[in-house]
Amino acid sequence: MEGTPVTVESIREVGPDTVALELETPEEFDARPGQFVLLRAVPRDVDGDETVDDDEVVMRHYTLSSSSVGETFEITVGIDPEGDLSPWLADLEGGETVHVEGPYGTITYEGDEDVVVVAGGPGVGPAVAIAEAAHESGHDAVVIYRADAPAHMDRLEALEDAGADVLVDESGQSETDRTGGGEIDEDGAGGELEDAIATHVDDGQVYAFGFADFVTAVADAIDAAGGDSDEALIENFG
């Protein structure tokens, strides 16, 4: 199997249908908040000397949700009950091996400025990573997060306690919004989120993470608020 084999050190539940995996850090793995890895695994028990057919290997991209990389790093996995990989990852107990490649991605936080991070659904992973990294480097952070079933609430509450502005918007969400889509509407949840963007658009470098409809609507909200969406760092999950 391609990629670097790493040990799954631990798994913990971080929200409804959401887990965080702590993975062994490969040698010379120098990742920044905002970057992602390609994870490969065969979602079944594999004997040590067994030859694995390439057709059995499942690959998925996951963005780092840890603010820094030491002996381990973290990714956050939203569980799709019908998925090929995420249910298997969620059932791991630690000690198993997966393969990773990367880090990839040019959207990074370098610890040098205040940030405003807008996240939809699974975008909360990199959002909390960047916000925590900003605080750790002495900068201010704003997190604007829209999800029907929020994850990483403990970390968001800790950020708020440390002085960050945190808006968690649960209203007006459908199940599909969490797993892949959802637009900002003029009423309800969308209006609240647009207002938050308008309030904070000039408070730091703007990042946005989420699926296509979400980040497109965020870009529109930035422009409507007098900002420049071309200057925002936006990661479209597809």
Side-chain angles (χ1 to χ4, degrees):
M1 193 186 308
E2 296 181 34
T4 303
V6 299
T7 300
V8 179
E9 299 290 349
S10 65
I11 307 96
R12 63 188 180 94
E13 183 176 327
V14 295
D17 295 325
T18 310
V19 295
L21 272 65
E22 198 79 19
L23 303 178
E24 173 191 10
T25 301
E27 291 186 10
E28 301 182 1
F29 181 84
D30 185 19
R32 296 286 186 271
Q35 291 188 296
F36 60 91
V37 296
L38 175 63
L39 185 147
R40 287 185 169 91
V42 177
R44 63 174 178 83
D45 292 334
V46 177
D47 294 334
D49 58 353
E50 180 181 352
T51 300
V52 174
D53 192 304
D54 287 344
D55 292 339
E56 292 189 85
V57 178
V58 182
M59 299 176 288
R60 294 289 185 273
H61 289 105
Y62 293 106
T63 309
L64 273 69
S65 53
S66 47
S67 61
S68 61
V69 173
E71 294 184 356
T72 63
F73 68 97
E74 182 189 273
I75 59 173
T76 297
V77 178
I79 304 165
D80 177 1
E82 305 300 322
D84 295 327
L85 184 60
S86 60
W88 180 80
L89 291 172
D91 286 339
L92 298 179
E93 297 179 352
E96 298 87 353
T97 298
V98 296
H99 290 236
V100 298
E101 292 183 18
Y104 300 117
T106 58
I107 294 178
T108 63
Y109 179 65
E110 302 296 334
D112 54 354
E113 59 188 334
D114 298 341
V115 298
V116 178
V117 195
V118 188
V124 68
V128 294
I130 289 172
E132 288 173 349
H135 264 262
E136 290 164 6
S137 59
H139 295 282
D140 292 334
V142 176
V143 179
I144 304 169
Y145 172 34
R146 184 175 187 236
D148 66 323
H152 285 300
M153 286 302 297
D154 56 340
R155 293 170 67 180
L156 290 167
E157 290 168 0
L159 278 164
E160 191 167 34
D161 290 344
D165 288 321
V166 177
L167 169 68
V168 179
D169 179 6
E170 300 178 59
S171 59
Q173 284 282 102
S174 68
E175 181 65 17
T176 56
D177 291 330
R178 184 181 60 81
T179 56
E183 297 183 1
I184 301 176
D185 303 317
E186 294 183 359
D187 301 316
E192 184 177 348
L193 194 145
E194 287 177 339
D195 289 346
I197 292 172
T199 298
H200 295 289
V201 69
D202 294 323
D203 289 350
Q205 172 62 55
V206 178
Y207 293 79
F209 297 90
F211 289 104
D213 288 345
F214 179 82
V215 296
T216 298
V218 168
D220 291 343
I222 292 169
D223 292 332
D228 185 352
S229 60
D230 289 339
E231 297 297 321
L233 300 176
I234 297 176
E235 186 71 59
N236 182 347
F237 292 168

Short mmCIF file of all heavy atoms in Angstrom, two decimals, residues 144-199:
data_model
loop_
_atom_site.label_atom_id
_atom_site.label_comp_id
_atom_site.label_asym_id
_atom_site.label_seq_id
_atom_site.Cartn_x
_atom_site.Cartn_y
_atom_site.Cartn_z
N ILE A 144 -16.58 31.37 13.39
CA ILE A 144 -17.98 31.41 13.00
C ILE A 144 -18.29 30.04 12.40
O ILE A 144 -17.75 29.68 11.37
CB ILE A 144 -18.26 32.53 11.98
CG1 ILE A 144 -17.80 33.88 12.53
CG2 ILE A 144 -19.73 32.55 11.59
CD1 ILE A 144 -17.79 35.00 11.50
N TYR A 145 -19.16 29.28 13.06
CA TYR A 145 -19.31 27.86 12.75
C TYR A 145 -20.78 27.52 12.57
O TYR A 145 -21.58 27.75 13.47
CB TYR A 145 -18.70 27.05 13.89
CG TYR A 145 -18.89 25.56 13.88
CD1 TYR A 145 -18.94 24.82 12.70
CD2 TYR A 145 -18.97 24.86 15.08
CE1 TYR A 145 -19.10 23.44 12.72
CE2 TYR A 145 -19.12 23.48 15.12
CZ TYR A 145 -19.19 22.78 13.93
OH TYR A 145 -19.35 21.41 13.95
N ARG A 146 -21.12 26.96 11.44
CA ARG A 146 -22.50 26.58 11.15
C ARG A 146 -22.57 25.07 10.98
O ARG A 146 -21.90 24.48 10.14
CB ARG A 146 -22.99 27.27 9.88
CG ARG A 146 -24.45 26.98 9.55
CD ARG A 146 -24.89 27.79 8.35
NE ARG A 146 -26.32 27.65 8.13
CZ ARG A 146 -26.84 27.25 6.98
NH1 ARG A 146 -26.06 26.93 5.98
NH2 ARG A 146 -28.15 27.16 6.86
N ALA A 147 -23.40 24.42 11.80
CA ALA A 147 -23.58 22.96 11.72
C ALA A 147 -24.86 22.59 12.45
O ALA A 147 -25.24 23.23 13.43
CB ALA A 147 -22.39 22.23 12.34
N ASP A 148 -25.50 21.52 11.96
CA ASP A 148 -26.70 21.07 12.65
C ASP A 148 -26.37 20.27 13.89
O ASP A 148 -27.16 20.20 14.83
CB ASP A 148 -27.59 20.25 11.70
CG ASP A 148 -26.95 18.95 11.28
OD1 ASP A 148 -25.72 18.94 11.09
OD2 ASP A 148 -27.67 17.94 11.15
N ALA A 149 -25.19 19.65 13.91
CA ALA A 149 -24.76 18.84 15.05
C ALA A 149 -23.31 19.19 15.34
O ALA A 149 -22.39 18.51 14.88
CB ALA A 149 -24.91 17.36 14.75
N PRO A 150 -23.06 20.25 16.10
CA PRO A 150 -21.70 20.76 16.26
C PRO A 150 -20.74 19.75 16.90
O PRO A 150 -21.12 18.97 17.77
CB PRO A 150 -21.89 21.98 17.17
CG PRO A 150 -23.31 22.38 16.99
CD PRO A 150 -24.05 21.10 16.78
N ALA A 151 -19.51 19.81 16.46
CA ALA A 151 -18.43 18.99 17.01
C ALA A 151 -17.37 19.89 17.63
O ALA A 151 -17.36 21.11 17.43
CB ALA A 151 -17.81 18.12 15.92
N HIS A 152 -16.48 19.30 18.41
CA HIS A 152 -15.37 20.01 19.07
C HIS A 152 -15.88 21.15 19.96
O HIS A 152 -15.20 22.19 20.12
CB HIS A 152 -14.38 20.55 18.05
CG HIS A 152 -13.50 19.51 17.44
ND1 HIS A 152 -12.65 18.72 18.21
CD2 HIS A 152 -13.33 19.11 16.15
CE1 HIS A 152 -12.00 17.89 17.40
NE2 HIS A 152 -12.39 18.10 16.16
N MET A 153 -17.04 20.95 20.59
CA MET A 153 -17.57 22.02 21.44
C MET A 153 -16.68 22.30 22.63
O MET A 153 -16.60 23.45 23.10
CB MET A 153 -18.99 21.66 21.89
CG MET A 153 -20.04 21.80 20.79
SD MET A 153 -20.13 23.48 20.10
CE MET A 153 -20.63 24.42 21.55
N ASP A 154 -15.99 21.28 23.15
CA ASP A 154 -15.09 21.52 24.28
C ASP A 154 -13.97 22.49 23.90
O ASP A 154 -13.63 23.40 24.67
CB ASP A 154 -14.53 20.20 24.82
CG ASP A 154 -13.81 19.38 23.76
OD1 ASP A 154 -14.04 19.60 22.55
OD2 ASP A 154 -13.00 18.51 24.14
N ARG A 155 -13.43 22.32 22.73
CA ARG A 155 -12.35 23.19 22.28
C ARG A 155 -12.87 24.59 21.94
O ARG A 155 -12.20 25.60 22.20
CB ARG A 155 -11.63 22.57 21.09
CG ARG A 155 -10.89 21.29 21.48
CD ARG A 155 -10.38 20.52 20.29
NE ARG A 155 -9.32 21.22 19.58
CZ ARG A 155 -8.72 20.71 18.50
NH1 ARG A 155 -9.08 19.52 18.03
NH2 ARG A 155 -7.77 21.40 17.89
N LEU A 156 -14.06 24.66 21.36
CA LEU A 156 -14.65 25.97 21.07
C LEU A 156 -14.94 26.74 22.36
O LEU A 156 -14.70 27.96 22.44
CB LEU A 156 -15.92 25.79 20.25
CG LEU A 156 -15.70 25.30 18.81
CD1 LEU A 156 -17.02 24.86 18.19
CD2 LEU A 156 -15.05 26.38 17.96
N GLU A 157 -15.45 26.04 23.37
CA GLU A 157 -15.71 26.68 24.65
C GLU A 157 -14.42 27.14 25.31
O GLU A 157 -14.36 28.22 25.93
CB GLU A 157 -16.49 25.74 25.55
CG GLU A 157 -17.92 25.51 25.09
CD GLU A 157 -18.60 24.35 25.79
OE1 GLU A 157 -17.94 23.71 26.67
OE2 GLU A 157 -19.77 24.06 25.48
N ALA A 158 -13.36 26.33 25.17
CA ALA A 158 -12.07 26.73 25.73
C ALA A 158 -11.53 27.97 25.02
O ALA A 158 -10.95 28.86 25.65
CB ALA A 158 -11.08 25.58 25.63
N LEU A 159 -11.71 28.04 23.71
CA LEU A 159 -11.30 29.22 22.97
C LEU A 159 -12.06 30.46 23.43
O LEU A 159 -11.48 31.53 23.63
CB LEU A 159 -11.52 29.01 21.46
CG LEU A 159 -10.46 28.22 20.72
CD1 LEU A 159 -10.99 27.75 19.36
CD2 LEU A 159 -9.20 29.06 20.53
N GLU A 160 -13.36 30.29 23.62
CA GLU A 160 -14.18 31.41 24.09
C GLU A 160 -13.73 31.86 25.48
O GLU A 160 -13.63 33.06 25.75
CB GLU A 160 -15.65 31.02 24.09
CG GLU A 160 -16.60 32.17 24.29
CD GLU A 160 -18.04 31.79 23.98
OE1 GLU A 160 -18.41 30.62 24.24
OE2 GLU A 160 -18.78 32.64 23.48
N ASP A 161 -13.44 30.90 26.34
CA ASP A 161 -12.96 31.24 27.68
C ASP A 161 -11.63 31.98 27.62
O ASP A 161 -11.33 32.80 28.50
CB ASP A 161 -12.80 29.97 28.53
CG ASP A 161 -14.13 29.34 28.91
OD1 ASP A 161 -15.16 30.02 28.80
OD2 ASP A 161 -14.12 28.15 29.29
N ALA A 162 -10.85 31.69 26.58
CA ALA A 162 -9.54 32.34 26.43
C ALA A 162 -9.63 33.70 25.76
O ALA A 162 -8.62 34.38 25.58
CB ALA A 162 -8.60 31.43 25.64
N GLY A 163 -10.85 34.11 25.37
CA GLY A 163 -11.03 35.43 24.81
C GLY A 163 -11.41 35.49 23.35
O GLY A 163 -11.60 36.58 22.80
N ALA A 164 -11.53 34.33 22.70
CA ALA A 164 -11.94 34.33 21.29
C ALA A 164 -13.43 34.61 21.17
O ALA A 164 -14.21 34.28 22.07
CB ALA A 164 -11.60 32.98 20.66
N ASP A 165 -13.82 35.22 20.05
CA ASP A 165 -15.23 35.37 19.72
C ASP A 165 -15.66 34.11 18.97
O ASP A 165 -15.10 33.79 17.92
CB ASP A 165 -15.46 36.60 18.84
CG ASP A 165 -15.31 37.89 19.62
OD1 ASP A 165 -15.75 37.94 20.77
OD2 ASP A 165 -14.73 38.85 19.07
N VAL A 166 -16.66 33.42 19.50
CA VAL A 166 -17.11 32.16 18.91
C VAL A 166 -18.62 32.22 18.70
O VAL A 166 -19.37 32.47 19.65
CB VAL A 166 -16.76 30.95 19.81
CG1 VAL A 166 -17.32 29.66 19.21
CG2 VAL A 166 -15.25 30.85 20.01
N LEU A 167 -19.06 32.03 17.45
CA LEU A 167 -20.47 31.90 17.13
C LEU A 167 -20.72 30.51 16.59
O LEU A 167 -20.12 30.11 15.58
CB LEU A 167 -20.90 32.93 16.09
CG LEU A 167 -22.29 32.70 15.49
CD1 LEU A 167 -23.38 32.93 16.54
CD2 LEU A 167 -22.53 33.59 14.26
N VAL A 168 -21.58 29.76 17.26
CA VAL A 168 -21.98 28.44 16.78
C VAL A 168 -23.45 28.52 16.39
O VAL A 168 -24.31 28.78 17.23
CB VAL A 168 -21.78 27.34 17.85
CG1 VAL A 168 -22.23 25.99 17.32
CG2 VAL A 168 -20.32 27.29 18.27
N ASP A 169 -23.73 28.34 15.11
CA ASP A 169 -25.06 28.51 14.56
C ASP A 169 -25.63 27.14 14.21
O ASP A 169 -25.20 26.51 13.25
CB ASP A 169 -24.96 29.39 13.31
CG ASP A 169 -26.30 29.62 12.65
OD1 ASP A 169 -27.31 29.19 13.21
OD2 ASP A 169 -26.31 30.21 11.56
N GLU A 170 -26.60 26.68 14.99
CA GLU A 170 -27.23 25.38 14.75
C GLU A 170 -28.59 25.50 14.08
O GLU A 170 -29.18 24.48 13.72
CB GLU A 170 -27.42 24.64 16.07
CG GLU A 170 -26.15 24.36 16.83
CD GLU A 170 -26.43 23.66 18.14
OE1 GLU A 170 -27.02 22.57 18.11
OE2 GLU A 170 -26.08 24.22 19.20
N SER A 171 -29.10 26.69 13.91
CA SER A 171 -30.47 26.84 13.43
C SER A 171 -30.56 26.69 11.91
O SER A 171 -29.64 27.03 11.18
CB SER A 171 -31.00 28.22 13.82
OG SER A 171 -30.18 29.24 13.27
N GLY A 172 -31.70 26.12 11.48
CA GLY A 172 -31.98 26.07 10.05
C GLY A 172 -31.15 25.09 9.28
O GLY A 172 -31.07 25.15 8.06
N GLN A 173 -30.49 24.13 9.94
CA GLN A 173 -29.64 23.18 9.26
C GLN A 173 -30.38 21.87 8.99
O GLN A 173 -31.19 21.42 9.78
CB GLN A 173 -28.41 22.85 10.12
CG GLN A 173 -27.36 23.94 10.12
CD GLN A 173 -26.54 23.93 8.87
OE1 GLN A 173 -26.75 24.73 7.99
NE2 GLN A 173 -25.63 23.02 8.78
N SER A 174 -30.05 21.25 7.88
CA SER A 174 -30.54 19.92 7.58
C SER A 174 -29.39 18.94 7.66
O SER A 174 -28.24 19.32 7.70
CB SER A 174 -31.14 19.86 6.17
OG SER A 174 -30.13 20.03 5.20
N GLU A 175 -29.70 17.65 7.64
CA GLU A 175 -28.66 16.64 7.73
C GLU A 175 -27.68 16.75 6.58
O GLU A 175 -26.49 16.55 6.72
CB GLU A 175 -29.29 15.25 7.75
CG GLU A 175 -28.29 14.10 7.85
CD GLU A 175 -27.51 14.08 9.17
OE1 GLU A 175 -27.96 14.74 10.12
OE2 GLU A 175 -26.46 13.42 9.22
N THR A 176 -28.18 17.11 5.37
CA THR A 176 -27.29 17.20 4.23
C THR A 176 -26.32 18.34 4.37
O THR A 176 -25.23 18.31 3.80
CB THR A 176 -28.08 17.37 2.92
OG1 THR A 176 -28.93 18.52 3.05
CG2 THR A 176 -28.90 16.14 2.62
N ASP A 177 -26.68 19.37 5.14
CA ASP A 177 -25.75 20.49 5.33
C ASP A 177 -24.48 20.04 6.03
O ASP A 177 -23.40 20.52 5.74
CB ASP A 177 -26.41 21.59 6.15
CG ASP A 177 -27.52 22.29 5.40
OD1 ASP A 177 -27.43 22.36 4.16
OD2 ASP A 177 -28.47 22.73 6.05
N ARG A 178 -24.61 19.11 6.97
CA ARG A 178 -23.44 18.67 7.73
C ARG A 178 -22.53 17.82 6.87
O ARG A 178 -21.31 17.85 7.00
CB ARG A 178 -23.88 17.87 8.96
CG ARG A 178 -22.71 17.46 9.85
CD ARG A 178 -23.18 16.65 11.03
NE ARG A 178 -23.84 15.44 10.60
CZ ARG A 178 -23.18 14.33 10.23
NH1 ARG A 178 -21.86 14.32 10.21
NH2 ARG A 178 -23.83 13.25 9.88
N THR A 179 -23.09 17.04 5.97
CA THR A 179 -22.28 16.08 5.25
C THR A 179 -21.91 16.53 3.85
O THR A 179 -21.04 15.95 3.23
CB THR A 179 -23.02 14.73 5.13
OG1 THR A 179 -24.29 14.97 4.51
CG2 THR A 179 -23.23 14.11 6.49
N GLY A 180 -22.54 17.59 3.34
CA GLY A 180 -22.13 17.99 2.02
C GLY A 180 -23.04 18.98 1.35
O GLY A 180 -23.68 18.66 0.36
N GLY A 181 -23.09 20.20 1.79
CA GLY A 181 -23.88 21.20 1.09
C GLY A 181 -24.52 22.16 2.05
O GLY A 181 -24.10 22.33 3.18
N GLY A 182 -25.54 22.83 1.57
CA GLY A 182 -26.28 23.76 2.42
C GLY A 182 -25.87 25.19 2.14
O GLY A 182 -24.71 25.53 2.17
N GLU A 183 -26.84 26.02 1.80
CA GLU A 183 -26.54 27.40 1.49
C GLU A 183 -26.91 28.30 2.66
O GLU A 183 -27.72 27.94 3.50
CB GLU A 183 -27.33 27.84 0.24
CG GLU A 183 -26.94 27.06 -1.02
CD GLU A 183 -27.69 27.57 -2.22
OE1 GLU A 183 -28.48 28.52 -2.07
OE2 GLU A 183 -27.48 27.01 -3.30
N ILE A 184 -26.31 29.47 2.66
CA ILE A 184 -26.70 30.49 3.62
C ILE A 184 -27.94 31.17 3.06
O ILE A 184 -27.91 31.73 1.96
CB ILE A 184 -25.58 31.51 3.83
CG1 ILE A 184 -24.33 30.81 4.34
CG2 ILE A 184 -26.01 32.60 4.79
CD1 ILE A 184 -23.14 31.72 4.48
N ASP A 185 -29.04 31.11 3.77
CA ASP A 185 -30.28 31.72 3.34
C ASP A 185 -30.37 33.15 3.87
O ASP A 185 -29.61 33.56 4.75
CB ASP A 185 -31.49 30.92 3.84
CG ASP A 185 -31.42 29.48 3.38
OD1 ASP A 185 -31.09 29.27 2.20
OD2 ASP A 185 -31.70 28.59 4.20
N GLU A 186 -31.34 33.90 3.36
CA GLU A 186 -31.52 35.27 3.83
C GLU A 186 -32.15 35.31 5.21
O GLU A 186 -32.07 36.31 5.90
CB GLU A 186 -32.36 36.05 2.83
CG GLU A 186 -31.65 36.25 1.49
CD GLU A 186 -32.48 37.09 0.55
OE1 GLU A 186 -33.58 37.48 0.95
OE2 GLU A 186 -32.01 37.35 -0.57
N ASP A 187 -32.85 34.25 5.59
CA ASP A 187 -33.53 34.23 6.87
C ASP A 187 -32.86 33.24 7.81
O ASP A 187 -32.09 32.39 7.41
CB ASP A 187 -35.00 33.82 6.68
CG ASP A 187 -35.73 34.78 5.75
OD1 ASP A 187 -35.53 35.99 5.92
OD2 ASP A 187 -36.45 34.30 4.86
N GLY A 188 -33.18 33.34 9.10
CA GLY A 188 -32.75 32.33 10.08
C GLY A 188 -31.26 32.22 10.16
O GLY A 188 -30.54 33.18 10.35
N ALA A 189 -30.77 30.96 9.99
CA ALA A 189 -29.36 30.66 10.21
C ALA A 189 -28.46 31.47 9.30
O ALA A 189 -27.44 31.98 9.70
CB ALA A 189 -29.11 29.17 9.99
N GLY A 190 -28.88 31.57 7.99
CA GLY A 190 -28.03 32.28 7.06
C GLY A 190 -27.85 33.73 7.46
O GLY A 190 -26.76 34.28 7.41
N GLY A 191 -28.96 34.39 7.85
CA GLY A 191 -28.87 35.78 8.24
C GLY A 191 -27.97 35.97 9.43
O GLY A 191 -27.20 36.94 9.49
N GLU A 192 -28.04 35.08 10.41
CA GLU A 192 -27.18 35.17 11.58
C GLU A 192 -25.72 35.04 11.19
O GLU A 192 -24.86 35.78 11.67
CB GLU A 192 -27.57 34.09 12.59
CG GLU A 192 -26.80 34.16 13.90
CD GLU A 192 -27.26 33.13 14.89
OE1 GLU A 192 -28.32 32.50 14.67
OE2 GLU A 192 -26.55 32.95 15.90
N LEU A 193 -25.44 34.10 10.29
CA LEU A 193 -24.06 33.91 9.89
C LEU A 193 -23.55 35.09 9.07
O LEU A 193 -22.43 35.55 9.24
CB LEU A 193 -23.94 32.59 9.12
CG LEU A 193 -22.52 32.06 8.91
CD1 LEU A 193 -22.50 30.55 8.97
CD2 LEU A 193 -21.97 32.53 7.57
N GLU A 194 -24.39 35.59 8.16
CA GLU A 194 -24.01 36.75 7.37
C GLU A 194 -23.73 37.96 8.27
O GLU A 194 -22.78 38.71 8.03
CB GLU A 194 -25.12 37.10 6.38
CG GLU A 194 -25.20 36.12 5.21
CD GLU A 194 -26.34 36.45 4.28
OE1 GLU A 194 -27.29 37.14 4.71
OE2 GLU A 194 -26.30 36.00 3.13
N ASP A 195 -24.55 38.12 9.31
CA ASP A 195 -24.32 39.23 10.25
C ASP A 195 -22.98 39.07 10.96
O ASP A 195 -22.26 40.06 11.17
CB ASP A 195 -25.45 39.28 11.29
CG ASP A 195 -26.77 39.76 10.70
OD1 ASP A 195 -26.76 40.30 9.57
OD2 ASP A 195 -27.81 39.57 11.36
N ALA A 196 -22.65 37.84 11.33
CA ALA A 196 -21.38 37.60 12.01
C ALA A 196 -20.20 37.90 11.09
O ALA A 196 -19.20 38.48 11.50
CB ALA A 196 -21.31 36.16 12.50
N ILE A 197 -20.33 37.50 9.82
CA ILE A 197 -19.27 37.81 8.86
C ILE A 197 -19.13 39.31 8.69
O ILE A 197 -18.01 39.85 8.68
CB ILE A 197 -19.55 37.12 7.52
CG1 ILE A 197 -19.40 35.60 7.67
CG2 ILE A 197 -18.61 37.63 6.43
CD1 ILE A 197 -19.83 34.80 6.45
N ALA A 198 -20.25 40.01 8.58
CA ALA A 198 -20.20 41.47 8.43
C ALA A 198 -19.55 42.13 9.64
O ALA A 198 -18.81 43.10 9.50
CB ALA A 198 -21.62 42.01 8.22
N THR A 199 -19.81 41.60 10.83
CA THR A 199 -19.25 42.17 12.05
C THR A 199 -17.74 41.98 12.13
O THR A 199 -17.01 42.87 12.59
CB THR A 199 -19.91 41.52 13.29
OG1 THR A 199 -21.31 41.81 13.27
CG2 THR A 199 -19.30 42.04 14.58
#
